[in-house]
Structure formats: C-alpha cells, structure tokens
C-alpha cells in the first residue's frame, strides 16, 4: 500500500520530504477512511491548492492539517448520504468549549467601528422597510443565527495596493468619520458607463439541441483557429500530419486527449489533430524530453518533434499559447484590421484612464441553515458605506445545493424567492444609492430558478419591474465599464482544471504558482472553458458554446469564482513575439471566494482600478 501511495504522489508531480513517516501516516489515513491511494492523492491536491503551498513537496508538518481536510471531506460525503446523520470531529469539541464563553462575549462593548456599521445597517434596513420589504427585515430581527454572532467582520485577508495615498486639493490626507459617512451617501456618485459585448445568446433561447456534429465542429474549429494563429505569428511552419512516420522534425497542432477513462499520465496522452491535416486521427504523445509542461484534456497545443515509428510523437517543444491579438486578427480582413487598429490608437491617445471602483461578490448569498440572505444584506450595507460605482454579483443566487432547496421545504417558488429576496434587496440598494450606481448580475448553473445549461443566457429581467441600473449578463459574459474590459464565468473551471491537469516543473528554484498557471490556461486557450470532455455536472451545449466561450481579446479583469481559496493575481498574457508591447500586457485574475460558507461568512473583493494592473488597489475582505 505504501509503495502505491508513493507512486501516486510521484505521478502527480509531488516529492516526499520525510518519506517513511509520511507514507506511514498516509497508509493509516487510507485504512481509516477506506481510501484508495489515487483518492488520497486527489484529496492532497485539493488541500495543496487551498493552502496555496509554494513547493510540490509533501511535508510531515502538513499531515495534521491534511487529516482535518480528510475529516471535512468525510463529513460532507456523509451529510449527502444521510442528512440526519452527524459525525463528530475536533470542531465539535472546540464548539462545546467555546460555548462556555458565550455569556462573556455578549457583554463585551462594541468598538466605534461596530457602532458605525450598526448605524449604517439600521439606516439601510429602515429604507428597505419603507419600500415594502418588511418580510425579510422582521424575520432577521427576531432570529439569532450563527452568521449574526460571527466575529472579525470586514477583515482584510489580502491586499495589493499600487495607488498613491488619496489627498485633497490642499494636500491634506482625507479622514473618514461617522458624520462624513452619513453625508457621503447623499453625495452623487460618478456614473460608470457600461457596454455589454453581445454574443448572440438571448434569454429564452433553445438549448439541448446540440448534435454530435456540433461537438465535432466545435473541436475542429478550435484546432484550426489555433493552428492559423501560430502560423500567422511567423514563428512556426505549416502543421503536418503527426501520425505519419518520419525521422525529420515536424510541427503539429492538435488537442490533448486521454487514452481511456481516468486522469492523464505519461502513458495515456494522445494528440488529436485536425481533419485537414490528419483526418482527425490520434497519435500517442511522449513528453519525457520536456523539462516542464502543463497539459489537460481539451487543451490545444503546438508540438515540435518527430515520429520515427508512426505510433508515437516524441515532443521536443510544446507551445501552449499564442498572442491573443494575432488570434483575434486572423479572422479579420486586412481593411477592417487596419481600421480597427487606427480606432484603438485614437482611443488610447484621446482618453486618460479614470479610476473605476467596484465590489465583486460570488454566491451563495445565504448560509446553509436558512434562506434569510444575511450575507447579501451585510454586503449591500457595506456597499452603502463605501459607495462603489459598480457592484458585480455572480451566482448562484438561489443555490440548488442549499439544503432547504434540495429537500423542497420552502413555501415559495424559486422565482418568488429570487424576486422577493434578492431582486428586492438590490433594488432597494440602488434606490438608496441614487441613479448613478450600477449593478451587474451573472447567473450560475447552480441557480434553481434559471436554465440549467452552459453557456447560460442572462436573467430575463425585462418581464419584471426592475430598475434600469441592473445589467444582466450571460454566463460567461464580457462587458466594459469605463473602457475597462471585464470577463466573468461562474462555472468553477479552476477547480475542474486542477483535477485534470498534469504538469512537470523545472528544478530551477523558481516558486511554482499553480493557481496562476491554472488561470493562465483560460487566456492562453482563448476560451472560458477549454476542458474537454467537460467535468461531470456541467451541462455543456456545443451548439451555443463556440461563439460564447471564445475570448477574442485580452480582458483587463477576469473574474473566476471558485471553491478554491480566494486570490487576486496579475497574469502576463500573450505568446512569444518580437515586439515588446504584447509581452507587457497584464490581466488581473480575481477569485473573490464565496460570500457564504456553510453557516458562516465568506469573502468578497473591493477593487479600485486606474487603467492598468500597475495602478490598482485590490482587497479581499471577509464579510
């Protein structure tokens, strides 16, 4: 068993520090929780990502934390099988010990910040009551929930600050007190101009009509576009058939596939080329000569190598990205391309970057013990204090994984809950903030009140009596706010890629940032969901996917909510080109985390952006 565990760790690219002690403990974990070695290593990969460990080395010091992670997984699995069953763990002991101090905690006086937050929340709640939303407010005032008793509210977990200290016209730094905060809401916000990039996906569109032909065409078009972009870069020759035996070096473009079910390994990697070059045949791909690589099923790559036998392509170089500007221009006629370049250049010369402020939060927006939407209410109260120009809310809003939704114990329909709770709250917020505040809503495939399909049309808000300040976006979708291009996708592609990726890292002492690498795959593949076949539970419709999933140009901000630990990372974008302009492009990738986690609060992101990643302030804040 220990040899199998060691082999699985090595296969996934991990090395063992104190090998004998670690294998002994892992052996015990497998016996206690009835795990196969492959399942144990998969759980370690999730733990490794969530803890954001820098090295691919399994250390004995992490075993206690890994044990707690395994216990949580077992609790989750048991809860799904039998919701009435409770398995005790060390957390229950901590909860019992902490319960003795509850009376003491209740008499601790609040700080001035607590009083300010309470005052603002009271003002906001009173506005909601006058607008008729008394149902939610009365329920919340009568119930004391675990979320309501939480401590450490609005603590900054992570921060990137590249902005200078804000000063007034007299050079005196601004101070913020209670009276200023009350007056601040009355002062008009600077309006943010929103432009939605239409993708042809309309609310009420037909889905579940995709055919095998649609799947084939989607894959074939991706391979052909990628090959055309690589050839257009003038760095690579025309692709050849990789399945033909040849002692000479060749260049081929194709999609990474897995030979059979399960995860990729050294013996199961296949390359499927296009019909044009190889009639769609697959050939085994050997990557042993490469010092570093990162591949996953569905990835379109360029391969330099040779195939001496006709059965195996031996790679000497792997190209996994192309300059996005080249990829976008490949489909444009020369005259249109020239006109577009002149328009972009004129825009850059005539406009100066302005600061865009936004708050970004991803669902669930209510805790698992109720449907009171307390985290959403707290978030909107925070937004009233900080007055962002743009509030971006990403689903799920009515989470199909919520215990009460799954059991069907709610008295209202899903649409009624969405309208009476979520929409009413955000409309009250917008009325309270004034006409210049803007709000963007993006659905999720976990939304019980919306179409279960991906790509997913926007919420149909036209039939409802909602404010014009609410913009509903497709999932995935792209829009511009004050010339800042923002891409959003609520399907957890980062988590799906982390479970399917196979990688090797060069031993040059450089830190291995796996989260940045996973996010970079989205941009290098020019697709919001490059994984194929899709992960279990993703209702992919290929008749809708080809146009909607394609990323034609580099967004300034890429928002990818995930169950993986929150982060804000600046990603370099573009392949290797002779010009320096492409190499200098940066994309800010944001995972705001989940606003609600279990019965407690999660995190959201507050961002001030001034035209580039070098001039921004991004904070990840606990609710």
């Amino acid at each position: 068993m220990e040899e199998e565990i060691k082999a699985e760790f090595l296969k996934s690219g991990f090395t063992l520090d104190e090998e004998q002690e670690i294998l002994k403990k892992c052996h015990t974990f497998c016996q206690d929780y009835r795990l196969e070695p492959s399942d144990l290593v998969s759980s370690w990969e999730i733990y490794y990502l969530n803890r954001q460990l820098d090295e691919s080395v399994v250390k004995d010091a992490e075993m206690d934390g890994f044990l707690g992670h395994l216990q949580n997984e077992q609790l989750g699995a048991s809860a799904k099988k039998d919701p009435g069953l409770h398995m005790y763990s060390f957390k229950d002991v901590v909860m019992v010990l902490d319960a003795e101090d509850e009376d003491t905690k209740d008499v601790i006086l609040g700080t001035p910040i607590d009083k300010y937050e309470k005052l603002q929340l009271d003002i906001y709640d009173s506005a909601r009551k006058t607008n008729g939303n008394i149902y939610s407010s009365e329920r919340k005032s009568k119930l004391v929930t675990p979320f309501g008793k939480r401590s450490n509210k609005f603590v900054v977990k992570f921060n990137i600050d590249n902005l200078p200290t804000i000063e007034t016209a007299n050079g005196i730094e601004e101070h913020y007190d209670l009276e200023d905060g009350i007056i601040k809401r009355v002062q008009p916000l600077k309006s943010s101009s929103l432009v939605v990039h239409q993708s042809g996906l309309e609310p009420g569109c037909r889905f579940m009509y995709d055919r095998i032909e649609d799947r084939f065409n989607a894959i074939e078009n991706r391979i052909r576009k990628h090959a055309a972009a690589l050839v257009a870069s003038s760095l690579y020759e025309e692709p050849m058939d990789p399945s033909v035996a040849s002692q000479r070096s060749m260049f081929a473009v194709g999609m990474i596939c897995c030979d059979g079910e399960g995860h990729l390994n050294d013996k199961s990697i296949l390359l499927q080329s296009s019909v044009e070059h190889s009639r769609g045949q697959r050939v085994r791909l050997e990557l042993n000569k490469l010092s570093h690589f990162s591949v996953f099923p569905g990835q379109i790559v360029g391969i330099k190598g040779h195939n001496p036998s006709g059965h195996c392509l031996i790679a000497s170089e792997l190209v996994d990205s192309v300059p996005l500007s080249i990829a976008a221009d490949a489909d444009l006629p020369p005259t249109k391309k020239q006109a577009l370049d002149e328009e972009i250049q004129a825009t850059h010369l005539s406009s100066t970057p302005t600061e865009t402020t936004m708050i970004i939060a991803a669902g669930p927006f209510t805790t698992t013990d109720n449907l009171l939407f307390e985290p959403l209410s707290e978030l909107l109260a925070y937004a009233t204090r900080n007055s962002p120009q743009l509030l971006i809310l990403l689903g799920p809003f009515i989470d199909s994984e919520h215990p009460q939704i799954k059991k069907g114990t709610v008295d209202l329909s899903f649409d009624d809950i969405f309208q009476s709770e979520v929409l009413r709250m955000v409309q009250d917020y917008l009325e309270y903030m004034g006409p210049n505040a803007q709000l963007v809503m993006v659905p999720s495939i976990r939304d019980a009140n919306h179409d279960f399909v991906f790509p997913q049309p926007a919420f149909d808000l036209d039939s409802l009596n909602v404010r014009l300040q609410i913009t509903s976006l497709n999932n995935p979708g792209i829009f511009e706010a004050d010339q800042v291009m923002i891409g959003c996708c609520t399907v957890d592609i980062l988590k799906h890629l982390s479970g399917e990726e196979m990688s090797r890292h060069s031993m040059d002492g450089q830190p291995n940032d796996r989260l940045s690498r996973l996010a970079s795959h989205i941009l290098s593949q020019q697709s919001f969901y490059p994984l194929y076949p899709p992960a279990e539970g993703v209702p992919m419709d290929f008749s809708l996917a080809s146009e909607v999933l394609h990323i034609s140009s580099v967004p300034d901000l890429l928002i990818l909510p995930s169950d993986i630990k929150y982060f804000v990372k600046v990603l370099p974008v573009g392949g290797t080109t002779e010009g320096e302009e492409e190499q200098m492009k940066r994309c800010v990738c944001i995972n705001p985390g989940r606003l609600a986690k279990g019965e407690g609060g999660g995190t959201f992101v507050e961002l001030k952006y001034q035209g580039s990643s070098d001039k921004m302030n991004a904070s990840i804040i606990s609710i």
Side-chain angles (χ1 to χ4, degrees), residues 211-268:
R211 304 160 295 175
I212 296 178
E213 181 182 354
D214 294 323
R215 293 173 176 258
F216 168 81
N217 288 334
I219 296 171
E220 183 71 11
N221 289 336
R222 284 187 62 204
I223 297 175
R224 292 176 61 184
K225 285 183 178 180
H226 215 87
L230 288 173
V231 173
S233 69
S234 302
L235 299 173
Y236 306 98
E237 59 189 22
E238 281 288 339
M240 300 176 62
D241 185 354
S243 63
V244 175
S246 173
Q247 296 292 338
R248 296 178 56 188
S249 177
M250 68 174 70
F251 178 69
V253 177
M255 182 179 72
I256 298 293
C257 305
C258 183
D259 185 11
E261 298 181 359
H263 299 295
L264 287 177
N265 57 60
D266 292 336
K267 305 298 182 183
S268 67

Side-chain angles (χ1 to χ4, degrees), residues 495-508:
K495 185 178 180 180
H496 298 167
L497 282 178
S498 70
E500 297 294 338
E501 183 204 36
M502 174 187 172
S503 62
R504 179 186 299 160
H505 318 295
S506 56
M507 302 299 180
D508 54 2

Side-chain angles (χ1 to χ4, degrees), residues 75 86-98:
L75 287 171
H86 180 74
M87 293 180 64
Y88 287 92
S89 67
F90 65 91
K91 289 186 178 180
D92 295 284
V93 179
V94 175
M95 182 181 67
V96 172
L97 293 176
D98 289 345

Side-chain angles (χ1 to χ4, degrees), residues 72 139 289 561:
N72 291 335
R139 286 189 302 168
K289 290 187 176 182

